[in-house]
């Protein structure tokens, strides 16, 4: 794996960790509160970013 691929893999891993941390936050907190709603929105954004990251990784591998 070259350095660029490793950077992309690390970024994808960070997205997964961030999503899991926010999901755990939502387990412990009020999902209906403003901060809970914001955390839910962030989880959704991270899902979209993860899809885009996979597309980026695929595009880089086929360069």
């Amino acid at each position: 794996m070259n350095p660029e691929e490793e950077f992309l893999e690390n970024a994808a891993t960070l997205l997964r960790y961030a999503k899991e941390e926010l999901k755990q936050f939502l387990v412990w907190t009020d999902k209906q509160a403003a901060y809970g709603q914001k955390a839910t929105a962030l989880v959704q954004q991270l899902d979209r970013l993860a899809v885009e990251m996979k597309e980026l990784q695929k595009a880089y591998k086929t360069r």
Side-chain angles (χ1 to χ4, degrees):
M1 178 182 298
N2 66 36
E4 291 87 353
E5 289 172 326
E6 187 173 349
F7 290 139
L8 292 175
E9 184 60 36
N10 290 343
T13 299
L14 289 172
L15 287 171
R16 285 191 301 275
Y17 285 153
K19 179 183 171 185
E20 291 305 313
E21 290 296 319
L22 282 169
K23 286 171 58 179
Q24 187 61 52
F25 174 77
L26 287 167
V27 168
W28 293 335
T29 193
D30 181 5
K31 292 178 187 176
Q32 301 306 314
Y35 52 84
Q37 292 174 10
K38 182 62 178 176
T40 300
L42 288 170
V43 169
Q44 292 170 349
Q45 288 177 338
L46 287 168
D47 282 337
R48 288 190 297 274
L49 285 172
V51 168
E52 291 181 36
M53 179 61 69
K54 285 183 184 192
E55 291 172 2
L56 174 59
Q57 288 174 301
K58 184 178 176 182
Y60 186 76
K61 284 183 181 179
T62 60
R63 67 189 189 291

